[in-house]
Amino acid sequence: LICEAYHLMKDVIGMEQNEMAQVFDEWNKGELDSFLIEITRDILNFKDTDGKYLLPKIRDTAGQKGTGKWTGISALEYGVPVTLIGEAVFARCLSALKEERIKASEILPGSSLKFTGDKKEFLEHLRKALYASKIISYAQGFMLLREAAKVNNWHLNYGSIALMWRGGCIIRSVFLGNIKEAFTKNPQLSNLLLDPFFSSSINASQMSLRQVVAQAALVGVPVPAFGAALAFYDGYRSAVLPANLLQAQR
């Protein structure tokens, strides 16, 4: 999600690196306050020994240690739609096809549309979209934990799990305290999105998520994680889905 936000800043509204660093610095002072937002700011500010920014020199292909893959496999085994982590893993796989992407960039057409909106307004949409998508991703993760607990007869303390993550790992953030509070108030909470704090947060942010996904599609910038967040949200809040047709086809 953070990589996609960076991509949108760079290629949709044409921001310079120092501008992007300032934005991430501001975001780190609010509800997005986290280790990953903080180091993103520092990465954007970092200059090589020649005085030029280091980030553009880094090859845009990502490997993986396997944690995302294992989570995706578990999600499929338990039948839980952990779509954001799945899309993040596939985005890494796609990034690894560097030589193919270079060839494709010379053959396949993209969008001819350019961003014409207000830059400051779009950045606020982007901030809210990132926050909403983060909530949705955590909601999916806890859905997987809850299903695994049910199948394996585990007794998990979800609030304590959130605090453990906040205590010292790459996803540590202030946000995890809100998750702890949600499960403390209601240990039987079926989905994080249904907690009053998070449902009101999503209510305030979901239109921004729509704006960001729509704008990215129009200008041709891939946002699989933002897109997956929105698709899951709209699917989860739907009383009726077209799976009746799927069942009829089967």
Side-chain angles (χ1 to χ4, degrees), residues 118-231:
D118 181 87
K119 180 173 160 181
K120 190 174 180 182
E121 182 183 49
F122 183 75
L123 282 172
E124 180 58 12
H125 282 317
L126 190 54
R127 183 189 69 80
K128 287 182 176 180
L130 183 54
Y131 186 55
S133 300
K134 182 174 177 177
I135 292 171
I136 292 164
S137 188
Y138 275 92
Q140 291 182 350
F142 278 96
M143 285 169 70
L144 179 57
L145 287 174
R146 188 170 287 283
E147 182 61 24
K150 187 168 75 175
V151 171
N152 296 291
N153 198 30
W154 295 339
H155 301 285
L156 301 180
N157 186 324
Y158 302 105
S160 293
I161 289 169
L163 280 189
M164 179 177 68
W165 287 332
R166 194 175 71 170
C169 77
I170 196 169
I171 60 170
R172 60 185 180 271
S173 65
V174 170
F175 170 90
L176 289 164
N178 303 129
I179 295 177
K180 165 68 168 68
E181 289 170 18
F183 285 113
T184 297
K185 282 188 296 183
N186 181 9
Q188 303 308 313
L189 183 66
S190 61
N191 192 297
L192 211 53
L193 296 176
L194 303 180
D195 172 74
F197 173 83
F198 287 112
S199 62
S200 65
S201 296
I202 284 284
N203 186 43
S205 305
Q206 54 109 3
M207 284 308 295
S208 288
L209 177 55
R210 297 183 193 284
Q211 289 283 350
V212 166
V213 172
Q215 188 64 58
L218 287 171
V219 300
V221 171
V223 286
F226 280 123
L230 181 57

Side-chain angles (χ1 to χ4, degrees), residues 93-112:
C93 296
L94 183 57
S95 79
L97 304 175
K98 178 69 173 178
E99 304 311 320
E100 285 187 51
R101 288 191 289 113
I102 291 171
K103 288 178 186 174
S105 71
E106 297 165 355
I107 298 168
L108 300 176
S111 173
S112 59

